Amino acid sequence: MTDASQFETKVPGLDGSFPAKFLEVQERNAEILTSANEIVAKTAKAIGENQTEFLQQEAEQASKALTPVKFDGDAGAALSAFGNQMQENSKKLISHMRTINDLVFDCGWQLFKLCADSFRQPPKHS
């Protein structure tokens, strides 16, 4: 086996404990990457749950849409009800898109904060 002291440098301006610090930096990088993966996984899970809920609502709406419209003599009332239903569906779709946007926005800021914090925090010293 090689001895870690063989790799120590004697270059002016560089610390002689280069290998040890290099390993500490790599450990810190692994911690940061793990944290980033957790943030992304949590966001992906939340988006998946939101998509599932939205698809269930859409399936219910699709089954309602396939039901023939009854014109009990008042076509204006039936058209108005159809318009109201379309408006509600549009509101749900916009709400769904906003939720996904918020999740992705929050994920991006969490990753940015993690990155910024990684520049400020020195590596751990064992």
Side-chain angles (χ1 to χ4, degrees):
M1 292 192 84
T2 59
D3 184 21
S5 63
Q6 291 177 322
F7 298 108
E8 290 185 3
T9 63
K10 302 295 181 198
V11 178
L14 289 179
D15 190 354
S17 60
F18 171 73
K21 288 190 178 186
F22 180 75
L23 291 175
E24 289 175 8
V25 169
Q26 293 306 319
E27 287 174 2
R28 175 71 179 138
N29 288 343
E31 290 172 6
I32 292 168
L33 186 58
T34 300
S35 296
N37 285 337
E38 288 171 357
I39 291 168
V40 171
K42 181 181 171 185
T43 301
K45 180 181 176 187
I47 289 173
E49 290 170 354
N50 188 275
Q51 286 286 83
T52 301
E53 180 182 329
F54 179 72
L55 289 174
Q56 288 172 343
Q57 291 174 357
E58 284 297 301
E60 290 171 11
Q61 291 299 323
S63 68
K64 288 179 185 177
L66 294 175
T67 305
V69 178
K70 296 180 181 178
F71 293 103
D72 294 331
D74 190 0
L79 185 58
S80 178
F82 179 74
N84 289 337
Q85 182 181 2
M86 293 300 291
Q87 183 181 20
E88 287 303 313
N89 290 345
S90 296
K91 286 180 181 179
K92 286 179 184 177
L93 177 61
I94 291 169
S95 175
H96 169 71
M97 289 188 293
R98 284 181 178 152
T99 300
I100 289 180
N101 181 64
D102 291 346
L103 288 168
V104 173
F105 182 80
D106 187 52
C107 177
W109 278 110
Q110 287 182 49
L111 291 173
F112 178 77
K113 183 182 181 312
L114 180 66
C115 180
D117 288 347
S118 73
F119 287 110
R120 290 189 300 165
Q121 296 176 357
K124 291 188 231 175
H125 295 284
S126 302

